[in-house]
Amino acid sequence: LLRKAGAQTIDVTSDPARTATIIKIRQDIFAAGAQYGRLIVEDIAVPLGQLAIVADQAEAIAAKHGQRLLLLGHAGDGNLHPDIILESKDGALPAETQAYIDELLPFVISIGGTVSAEHGIGTIKKKWVPQQLSPAVQTLQQQIKAVFDPTGILNPGRKF
């Protein structure tokens, strides 16, 4: 099926050493990207049938806003990391990077995806929560957080 769909390379193994090598490559990708500057790690989840479309759109939006994209993910579950590499390791998020995020995330929502897959909502994405979650769900999440963090010391200023 993969070859019929155009796959050029397929790497399947039951060898534990080869498996460890493949996993090590995956683990080192973020560190490799960070060698070029600061890595803004994004994570989105999209319906599997939309994966290629979203990957193409992420690349097009990154090019439009002059962003250096590192695109990877867990394709089997629709999880993509359309990460941005910034040359400057310090400072505020550049306007062009914010523009990339502000264009990508509404597109992800429009095709039935989510603005976060596994990394959660931080300061960059919190304005997108109301478009993803109903007020009732947001209230419930705040109540759950209050149970485990009654004094508000865990990740203050993030999603809640």
Side-chain angles (χ1 to χ4, degrees):
L1 288 174
L2 291 171
R3 293 216 190 277
K4 284 182 183 179
Q8 296 178 6
T9 303
I10 302 169
D11 194 343
V12 178
T13 185
S14 58
D15 174 44
R18 179 69 181 137
T19 299
T21 299
I22 292 169
I23 290 171
K24 178 79 169 117
I25 291 168
R26 164 61 174 91
Q27 292 170 337
D28 290 345
I29 288 174
F30 291 113
Q35 294 303 307
Y36 292 97
R38 179 170 45 149
L39 191 61
I40 305 298
V41 178
E42 282 297 320
D43 74 312
I44 57 176
V46 300
L48 288 177
Q50 302 291 322
L51 197 61
I53 293 165
V54 173
D56 288 344
Q57 190 70 9
E59 289 178 341
I61 295 170
K64 174 182 173 183
H65 294 286
Q67 299 300 288
R68 189 170 187 187
L69 184 67
L70 174 62
L71 184 62
L72 58 129
H74 320 254
D77 63 3
N79 183 331
L80 281 178
H81 294 283
D83 302 339
I84 294 294
I85 300 171
L86 301 176
E87 288 183 18
S88 171
K89 290 189 181 266
D90 300 309
L93 196 64
E96 298 84 2
T97 304
Q98 188 63 58
Y100 161 77
I101 293 167
D102 289 346
E103 189 170 341
L104 178 64
L105 296 184
F107 175 75
V108 168
I109 293 168
S110 77
I111 55 91
T114 62
V115 300
S116 183
E118 61 183 332
H119 292 225
I121 303 291
T123 54
I124 294 174
K125 294 185 186 181
K126 73 181 188 178
K127 73 179 184 180
W128 300 101
V129 171
Q131 294 183 39
Q132 287 271 251
L133 302 175
S134 71
V137 170
Q138 292 177 66
T139 298
L140 178 60
Q141 289 180 344
Q142 290 170 340
Q143 291 169 341
I144 292 169
K145 184 176 188 296
V147 168
F148 294 100
D149 184 21
T151 59
I153 63 169
L154 302 176
N155 275 336
R158 300 292 191 216
K159 183 176 173 185
F160 303 118

